[in-house]
Amino acid sequence: MQQGAAPVAVALDAPDLDRAAYWAELVTPHVSTVKIGLELYLRYGPDVVASVRGASGVKVFLDLKLLDIPATVAGAARAVSRLRPEFLTVHAMGGPDVIRAAVEAAPATRVAAVTVLTSIGDADLAMLGMPEPVGDVVRRLPVMAVDSGARGLVCSPHEVAAVRAEVGPDVTLITPGVRPAGSAADDQARVATPEEAFLAGADLLVIGRPITSAPDPGAAAAAIAASLRRVGAGAVTGHAGGVRSR
Ligand code: C5P
């Protein structure tokens, strides 16, 4: 990773491995992290990590959203920990034992808990036997996840400030749903600009299509990095979570 690289994880939601590796090569001078999701990982297997990491040393965020019984999650986390991902996601809905299992099995990785998927609404929760509104669950799960050892949380930019107030300064808050001013929202319902997300307290911004669908992904990443530098991001690097001083 370059000194001063922006606290951005570029979502490499690519149709094939060559494209993912190409995007990674273009953006790694400008961002701290690249994110590999389930589709790419399941299609190409663990080798995908070395392919996108290349020689750059960029941090890898394995967004596998693990959810199973604790022993199975522990086995899965142990299996991927040898790939040295900086971040690994686990569903908070698995409960404390599942989160703890992942944390203990992958001690060198920052396990990040996904609270409630943005595709889930109040009616879905009710059907699952959870009568609370999504907003209440989103505030409750982070505390449970952090108490269980999670050192990262995935949440919307609109929830960052509330979640930060609940969990304190040491947890890496990771936010998708980030769109530079003027770019298409795509299928993201509630978006914030990179500057807004950072100033709200996010430590790592997940950004995919605004960078990877741009005519020049490297230039798009550089522009976002520059906009974040203007609000004080990227001044401090080397922290596992890309956490900045403000
Ligand atoms: O292209 P875009 O910037 O919308 O990509 C966002 C990335 O963040 C995708 O990889 C998507 O799976 C992920 N994500 C999300 N919303 C969540 C959790 C993850 O968009 N709530």
Side-chain angles (χ1 to χ4, degrees):
M1 188 182 85
Q2 307 289 310
Q3 278 300 309
V8 170
V10 177
L12 301 175
D13 296 322
D16 58 64
L17 186 53
D18 287 348
R19 180 60 60 99
Y22 178 60
W23 285 344
E25 191 185 324
L26 293 177
V27 303
T28 48
H30 311 291
V31 303
S32 66
T33 309
V34 291
K35 183 174 90 71
I36 296 168
L38 264 181
E39 190 180 342
L40 208 56
Y41 191 83
L42 291 179
R43 188 173 302 159
Y44 296 102
D47 291 350
V48 71
V49 173
S51 298
V52 306
R53 187 181 271 142
S56 70
V58 70
K59 293 174 184 173
V60 170
F61 175 173
L62 264 188
D63 190 13
L64 301 184
K65 296 190 177 72
L66 301 178
L67 177 58
D68 210 306
I69 59 170
T72 303
V73 167
R78 199 172 300 117
V80 298
S81 71
R82 68 186 172 84
L83 304 170
R84 320 287 302 170
E86 190 75 27
F87 300 97
L88 171 67
T89 45
V90 173
H91 273 291
M93 290 278 190
D97 291 350
V98 165
I99 295 168
R100 211 169 286 120
V103 168
E104 287 169 7
T109 292
R110 195 165 272 252
V111 170
V114 176
T115 55
V116 182
L117 293 173
T118 42
S119 54
I120 289 183
D122 291 348
D124 300 300
L125 286 186
M127 210 151 52
L128 295 169
M130 298 173 77
E132 296 163 90
V134 167
D136 291 1
V137 180
V138 164
R139 274 186 293 279
R140 193 160 45 75
L141 287 179
V143 176
M144 177 278 293
V146 170
D147 286 349
S148 307
R151 293 191 295 149
L153 290 162
V154 180
C155 58
S156 128
H158 299 271
E159 294 152 5
V160 163
V163 172
R164 177 68 75 201
E166 297 283 346
V167 300
D170 297 331
V171 179
T172 302
L173 299 187
I174 303 169
T175 58
V178 176
R179 288 290 178 273
S183 67
D186 303 303
D187 49 4
Q188 298 284 7
R190 295 201 306 143
V191 299
T193 66
E195 298 93 317
E196 286 166 347
F198 175 77
L199 291 171
D203 298 303
L204 186 65
L205 316 181
V206 174
I207 307 178
R209 288 160 290 180
I211 292 174
T212 56
S213 297
D216 181 345
I224 290 170
S227 73
L228 285 169
R229 269 196 302 275
R230 283 195 287 276
V231 292
V236 175
T237 57
H239 186 285
V243 174
R244 72 285 170 216
S245 64
R246 273 197 296 249

